[in-house]
């Protein structure tokens, strides 16, 4: 389970046998998530427009841009009368180090379980930041298979808990 939420990243290696989940290994980064992607956008915009004040509106615009860039090749926002744009290509280059950190945690979790990426039967994406296409591509490349992303990444944990409770 690759869980990239707003503020944290967690990877859990699970085995499902006879309807029972066994946790083989976990790893993560409590200071890595979608908020860091937003911060990278803010830093980029402030570098291009140094007069922009560090305001809440700028962070919210960055979050909207991140969401737009998951669906479109360019995001356009306006903050305090300043038009801001960002291409998906530039966004992906900004967040590449963040994604690499998630893969470092994946390596550590796999090592802890004595497994390799190709040993995984499935990879489930959890958390809103997994909607970012670069994240999906990186996970697919690392594990050698397309990740399971058919379920809403914001709801999949609750669905799993409901199944376990049943």
């Amino acid at each position: 389970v690759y869980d990239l939420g707003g503020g944290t990243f967690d990877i859990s290696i699970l085995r499902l046998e006879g309807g029972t989940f066994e946790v083989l290994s976990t790893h993560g980064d409590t200071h890595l998530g979608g908020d860091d992607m937003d911060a990278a956008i803010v830093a980029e915009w402030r570098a291009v427009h140094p007069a922009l004040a560090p305001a809440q509106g700028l962070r919210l615009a960055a979050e909207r841009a991140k969401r737009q860039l998951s669906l479109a090749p360019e995001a356009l926002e306006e903050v305090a009368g300043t038009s801001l744009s960002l291409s998906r290509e530039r966004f992906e280059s900004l967040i590449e180090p963040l994604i690499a950190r998630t893969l470092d945690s994946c390596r550590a979790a796999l090592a802890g379980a004595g497994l390799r990426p190709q040993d995984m039967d499935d990879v489930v994406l959890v958390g809103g930041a997994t909607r970012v296409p670069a994240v999906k591509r990186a996970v697919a490349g690392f594990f050698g298979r397309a990740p399971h992303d058919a379920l809403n990444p914001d709801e999949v944990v609750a669905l799993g808990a409901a199944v376990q409770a049943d």
Side-chain angles (χ1 to χ4, degrees), residues 11 19 40 53 65-67 72 74 79 83 94 97 105-106 109 114 130 139 141 152-153 155:
I11 180 79
K66 174 183 66 182
R67 290 173 187 227
E74 186 172 16
V79 174
S83 292
L94 293 172
S105 287
C106 292
T130 61
V139 171
N152 180 324
E155 298 172 355

Side-chain angles (χ1 to χ4, degrees), residues 81-103:
T82 303
S83 292
L84 305 168
S85 65
L86 187 64
S87 70
R88 181 185 290 169
E89 182 180 353
R90 179 63 182 145
F91 171 62
E92 290 179 352
S93 72
L94 293 172
I95 65 169
E96 187 176 341
L98 302 174
I99 295 171
R101 284 172 53 194
T102 71
L103 299 181

